[in-house]
């Protein structure tokens, strides 16, 4: 679970008590037993906001990836928002890479995870608004300001839906929002959003350390397809000299980049619809049980416990690919303990790339956005390269080529 991230509230239920049933809404079917994650409760739609993309070009194609001739982007598709005082989230300077991937899509509207329930882009209904109001009443002034800020990417709406089936949905939701505000102050994430020079240098350093985490493209509704090669994660987390706080901050910065990619997809569409979830591909190639040491377990449990509290279920689906046989056997046992909605969000795939590719295609991920480690065409780009101007691309070319299965 530490490797695939949070996909349900199961570990919360033991800590906070049994979950209560969700009351019927809109005469719809009963809610799933697992929480649903969503967006912020702002009266203004974020569809009018645009990602802050610096005017610097990202340079040539990544890792020799060749793209077919494409029509020029629509006038407002990709713009330099550096001069905008309200530009949200953080600056991605790999503008050319992001632009190229956005031009390949005509996004459809996000669909509900469960039929009859709201999708991630839907506003809160009347009952949800009441819970949101009660949650606001529990927040400190600092946490309330952060929760309603664009920088937290629809935090209140996302939190209300995340904790809907919890017995104390208001208290647990407030705890999550307070933790999110504390983390932003602790790691000065707002300075990163302001493109502060010192914060940017530090983020670049952290993303270089986590350069096994990357971006492959978007699915049919605009969910960014993000990738992680677990063997490098385990090796990094097992280094004695690594500061656990630095590891946590690095993962938080990676998540902020994911959020910025979602905002970019939200603006690249004709219909107003917010994208708040991503597809996560976890590549288990080369992982051995001996790599999961006590130090790795302790550090990564702390990271995941913090991030799943601060960023409630931001993943639409998680694919664990190239999984060893022992993991597949364990998963078949564990999934019988989980709710169906949770199980449906986690897909364990063997080393058969053809089957993995076909499954992702069926789930709405186009071939050009499926990573090569899954049998697709996406060469991918590391978050570190997407974040900076990528003048140092050649330094990381061989590492990233190995991650993507190139050569």
């Amino acid at each position: 679970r530490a490797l695939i991230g949070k996909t349900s509230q199961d570990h919360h239920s033991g800590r906070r008590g049994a979950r209560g049933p969700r009351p019927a809404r809109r005469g719809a079917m009963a809610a799933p037993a697992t929480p649903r994650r969503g967006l912020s409760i702002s009266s203004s739609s974020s569809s009018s906001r645009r990602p802050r993309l610096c005017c610097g070009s990202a340079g040539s194609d990544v890792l020799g990836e060749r793209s077919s001739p494409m029509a020029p982007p629509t006038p407002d598709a990709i713009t330099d928002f550096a001069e905008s005082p309200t530009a949200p989230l953080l600056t991605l300077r790999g503008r050319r890479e992001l632009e190229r991937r956005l031009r390949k899509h005509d996004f459809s509207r996000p669909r509900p995870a469960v039929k009859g329930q709201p999708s991630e882009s839907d506003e809160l209904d009347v009952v949800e608004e009441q819970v949101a109001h009660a949650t606001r009443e529990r927040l400190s002034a600092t946490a309330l300001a952060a929760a309603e800020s664009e920088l937290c990417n629809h935090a209140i709406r996302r939190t209300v839906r995340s904790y809907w089936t919890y017995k104390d949905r208001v208290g647990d939701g407030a705890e999550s929002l307070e933790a999110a505000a504390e983390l932003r102050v602790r790691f000065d994430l707002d300075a990163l959003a302001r493109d502060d020079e010192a914060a940017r240098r530090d983020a670049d350093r952290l993303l270089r350390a986590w350069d096994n985490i990357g971006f492959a493209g978007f699915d049919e509704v605009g969910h960014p397809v993000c990738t992680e090669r677990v063997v490098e994660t385990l090796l990094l987390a097992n280094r004695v000299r690594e500061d656990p706080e630095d590891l946590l901050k690095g993962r938080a910065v990676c998540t902020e980049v994911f959020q910025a990619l979602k905002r970019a997809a939200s603006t690249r569409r004709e219909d107003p619809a917010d994208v708040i979830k991503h597809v996560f591909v976890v590549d288990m190639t080369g992982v051995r049980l001996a790599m999961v040491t006590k130090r790795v377990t302790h550090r990564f449990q702390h990271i995941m416990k913090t991030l799943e509290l601060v960023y409630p279920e931001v993943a639409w689906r998680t694919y664990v690919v190239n999984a060893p046989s022992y993991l597949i056997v364990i998963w078949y046992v564990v999934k019988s303990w989980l709710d169906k909605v949770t199980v449906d969000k986690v897909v364990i795939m063997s080393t058969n790339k053809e089957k993995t590719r076909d499954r992702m295609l069926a789930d709405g991920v186009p071939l050009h956005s499926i990573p090569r480690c899954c049998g697709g065409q996406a060469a991918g780009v590391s978050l570190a390269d997407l974040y900076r101007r990528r003048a140092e691309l050649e330094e990381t070319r061989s590492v990233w080529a190995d991650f993507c299965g190139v050569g």
Side-chain angles (χ1 to χ4, degrees):
R1 295 196 58 176
L3 297 179
I4 64 176
K6 180 181 179 182
T7 57
S8 76
Q9 65 183 17
D10 302 290
H11 70 289
H12 282 295
S13 59
R15 177 167 59 90
R16 295 176 179 164
R19 296 169 288 176
R22 180 174 180 172
R25 299 187 298 137
R26 306 187 189 92
M29 60 180 287
T34 190
R36 293 177 292 101
R37 315 292 188 196
L39 308 149
S40 159
I41 180 160
S42 174
S43 57
S44 61
S45 172
S46 67
S47 60
S48 60
R49 307 294 183 185
R50 301 193 182 279
R52 191 177 179 193
L53 302 176
C54 189
C55 56
S57 170
S60 59
D61 292 352
V62 177
L63 304 178
E65 179 185 352
R66 297 292 182 259
S67 57
S68 57
M70 291 175 286
T74 55
D76 292 329
I78 299 294
T79 312
D80 177 12
F81 297 100
E83 73 282 358
S84 172
T86 59
L89 308 181
L90 49 80
T91 303
L92 298 177
R93 295 185 176 178
R95 175 182 176 182
R96 183 174 176 180
E97 293 306 316
L98 186 55
E99 177 180 328
R100 174 145 52 97
R101 284 162 173 79
L102 285 170
R103 284 189 302 188
K104 295 180 179 180
H105 294 274
D106 182 15
F107 296 128
S108 58
R109 189 173 181 82
R111 59 186 181 275
V114 177
K115 186 178 180 180
Q117 298 299 322
S119 75
E120 62 194 82
S121 60
D122 290 339
E123 297 285 347
L124 297 179
D125 65 18
V126 175
V127 178
E128 290 171 327
E129 286 278 11
Q130 294 174 352
V131 175
H133 176 75
T135 302
R136 287 194 190 92
E137 294 292 318
R138 297 273 193 102
L139 297 178
S140 65
T142 301
L144 179 60
E148 295 188 327
S149 166
E150 286 185 313
L151 301 180
C152 286
N153 200 31
H154 304 290
I156 293 182
R157 192 195 308 175
R158 177 158 44 86
T159 302
V160 166
R161 288 175 174 164
S162 299
Y163 291 94
W164 190 264
T165 58
Y166 281 52
K167 186 176 181 179
D168 184 14
R169 67 185 69 153
V170 173
D172 292 339
E175 179 187 349
S176 174
L177 293 169
E178 289 283 357
E182 188 276 333
L183 190 79
R184 295 196 72 83
V185 173
R186 178 170 154 194
F187 293 148
D188 204 8
L189 295 178
D190 287 356
L192 182 62
R194 294 192 302 268
D195 213 26
D196 177 81
E197 183 178 350
R200 188 165 188 91
R201 284 197 304 268
D202 191 48
D204 184 61
R205 174 185 65 85
L206 294 167
L207 290 173
R208 285 171 183 263
W210 289 99
D211 67 354
N212 62 312
I213 300 179
F215 166 64
F218 297 94
D219 73 4
E220 62 184 7
V221 303
H223 297 134
V225 179
C226 305
T227 56
E228 176 175 8
R229 184 164 179 174
V230 176
V231 67
E232 277 89 354
T233 294
L234 298 177
L235 294 174
L236 177 64
N238 196 42
R239 293 174 187 167
V240 176
R241 295 184 179 181
E242 288 293 335
D243 181 5
E245 187 79 348
D246 228 28
L247 293 173
L248 174 59
K249 185 176 181 179
R251 294 295 296 211
V253 171
C254 288
T255 306
E256 290 296 307
V257 176
F258 294 167
Q259 304 292 68
L261 290 169
K262 297 168 196 177
R263 184 61 57 88
S266 298
T267 64
R268 174 69 179 205
R269 57 196 321 124
E270 295 181 0
D271 62 317
D274 298 310
V275 177
I276 58 139
K277 297 185 179 183
H278 61 265
V279 173
F280 202 41
V281 177
V282 181
D283 185 6
M284 299 290 289
T285 301
V287 173
R288 302 188 307 274
L289 279 176
M291 294 179 174
V292 188
T293 64
K294 184 176 181 180
R295 181 185 299 114
V296 168
T297 302
H298 175 73
R299 288 178 171 180
F300 220 70
Q301 282 180 344
H302 172 63
I303 290 172
M304 296 311 302
K305 180 180 178 181
T306 302
L307 294 186
E308 61 198 24
L309 179 64
V310 172
Y311 301 100
E313 195 185 15
V314 289
W316 170 254
R317 183 164 283 114
T318 298
Y319 298 93
V320 182
V321 304
N322 299 316
S325 57
Y326 66 81
L327 182 60
I328 297 175
V329 173
I330 292 173
W331 171 246
Y332 273 103
V333 175
V334 171
K335 75 175 185 178
S336 64
W337 307 336
L338 305 176
D339 298 306
K340 183 179 184 302
V341 174
T342 299
V343 172
D344 288 344
K345 291 183 180 180
V346 180
V347 182
I348 308 293
M349 303 298 297
S350 68
T351 55
N352 189 319
K353 293 185 179 182
E354 183 177 348
K355 288 184 178 180
T356 302
R357 180 196 63 208
D358 292 345
R359 173 58 193 265
M360 295 184 72
L361 286 171
D363 289 342
V365 183
L367 189 62
H368 58 73
S369 292
I370 298 177
R372 293 184 180 177
C373 64
C374 302
Q377 296 177 347
V381 57
S382 71
L383 297 188
D385 288 333
L386 190 64
Y387 181 68
R388 61 181 182 262
R389 290 185 185 275
R390 303 188 324 107
E392 308 89 345
L393 178 59
E394 292 301 321
E395 297 178 11
T396 58
R397 183 184 181 97
S398 61
V399 175
W400 192 247
D402 178 64
F403 172 82
C404 297
V406 180

